[in-house]
Amino acid sequence: MTTGVDFPSWIKQFPGTAPGATVIFPHAGGAAAAYRGFAKVLSDNETPAIIVQYPQRADRLTHPAVGTVGEIAEQLFGAGDWSGAAPLTLFGHCMGAVVAFEFARIAEARGVEVRALWASAGQAPSTVTEGFPLPSTDAEVLADMIDLGGTNPVLLEDEDFAELLMRAVKADYRALSTYSCAPDVTIRADIHALGGSADHRTRREWLDRWESHTTGRFTCEFFDGGHFYLNDHLNAVAQLVGRT
């Protein structure tokens, strides 16, 4: 079954029989399509899954860029009646983790139950200002995408594809570059941090510091792989998230 919520078409729903839903928040520059495989595994395991889409890509290509991470989260929350899909489990990868955190703050403040937040390869909100400088030029963004992995290098050689990707990445990086959060800002939902053991972009201490952002339970676990370890461990991560 689906959630029964009347979401716009750019919010992708995958049916499941378990109560509630897992909401997936993509990485910077990432489109919902990049997480179809993960959502499909969750759905096959009976967990309803929903993937949100940020502006400036795919079927939201013409939607104006949003200025801040908080505004992105507010816009996503305003896209439908999330109480109809609750209780929610949130899963955010890289930048998606802090978007999911801000979404959780909004949801909890407005009475929508959030069971857990899974922060995947994303630094804790209070550490974002400590992160590496974000690229801004086309050349810097392209080099950053190659360094991170997760995008087929052959696709990056396609000028049209690369132009659209950089447009989305730069919009997300502009929003992320203005983000800051105090260490004592918390949500009630449990937080589970996940990372790749060989991820050179997300320090372990940044994942550990997610603990300060929950009044609930905290765990931290690593998988073999780099920043996009998830691509090699869809089933294992889906089983963890589905047991929330």
Side-chain angles (χ1 to χ4, degrees):
M1 65 180 180
T2 60
T3 62
V5 180
D6 186 20
F7 288 118
S9 61
W10 48 264
I11 289 184
K12 315 302 181 183
Q13 298 191 64
F14 297 76
T17 58
T22 295
V23 188
I24 302 168
F25 297 78
H27 57 279
Y35 293 84
R36 285 184 62 88
F38 184 49
K40 183 67 166 55
V41 174
L42 286 167
S43 178
D44 289 345
N45 291 339
E46 301 182 355
T47 301
I50 299 170
I51 316 174
V52 299
Q53 188 90 280
Y54 308 144
Q56 298 281 283
R57 71 215 71 197
D59 44 359
R60 298 194 69 193
L61 187 62
T62 61
H63 291 197
V66 181
T68 69
V69 169
E71 289 170 352
I72 294 173
E74 184 72 51
Q75 186 183 80
L76 294 172
F77 187 83
D81 181 8
W82 290 95
S83 63
L88 304 177
T89 296
L90 311 182
F91 181 95
H93 188 80
C94 193
M95 184 188 98
V98 292
V99 178
F101 178 74
E102 292 301 322
F103 183 97
R105 292 179 64 193
I106 295 167
E108 289 187 345
R110 300 183 189 176
V112 176
E113 181 184 356
V114 179
R115 291 183 290 198
L117 164 61
W118 291 82
S120 172
Q123 58 194 97
S126 56
T127 72
V128 169
T129 55
E130 303 172 16
F132 303 106
L134 294 172
S136 57
T137 68
D138 287 356
E140 290 172 341
V141 169
L142 184 59
D144 192 56
M145 293 298 98
I146 294 171
D147 179 60
L148 281 173
T151 303
N152 189 330
V154 175
L155 293 176
L156 292 176
E157 294 174 3
D158 183 305
E159 291 185 3
D160 292 335
F161 175 85
E163 181 181 357
L164 290 175
L165 176 61
M166 286 188 286
R167 173 180 173 179
V169 173
K170 287 195 288 186
D172 292 346
Y173 279 0
R174 283 194 297 269
L176 191 59
S177 67
T178 64
Y179 182 78
S180 65
C181 182
D184 59 352
V185 176
T186 59
I187 57 175
R188 296 186 297 276
D190 297 338
I191 294 180
H192 306 287
L194 299 174
S197 59
D199 184 357
H200 66 288
R201 296 290 293 269
T202 308
R203 296 173 181 168
R204 292 192 178 210
E205 64 186 84
W206 291 344
L207 287 173
D208 288 336
R209 282 163 65 182
W210 276 100
E211 185 172 12
S212 72
H213 292 290
T214 177
T215 59
R217 190 164 65 99
F218 172 77
T219 64
C220 187
E221 186 170 345
F222 289 87
F223 290 84
D224 292 338
H227 192 68
F228 284 94
Y229 75 91
L230 177 64
N231 295 337
D232 297 321
H233 300 281
L234 292 181
N235 288 310
V237 175
Q239 287 177 6
L240 281 175
V241 173
R243 288 200 297 265
T244 302

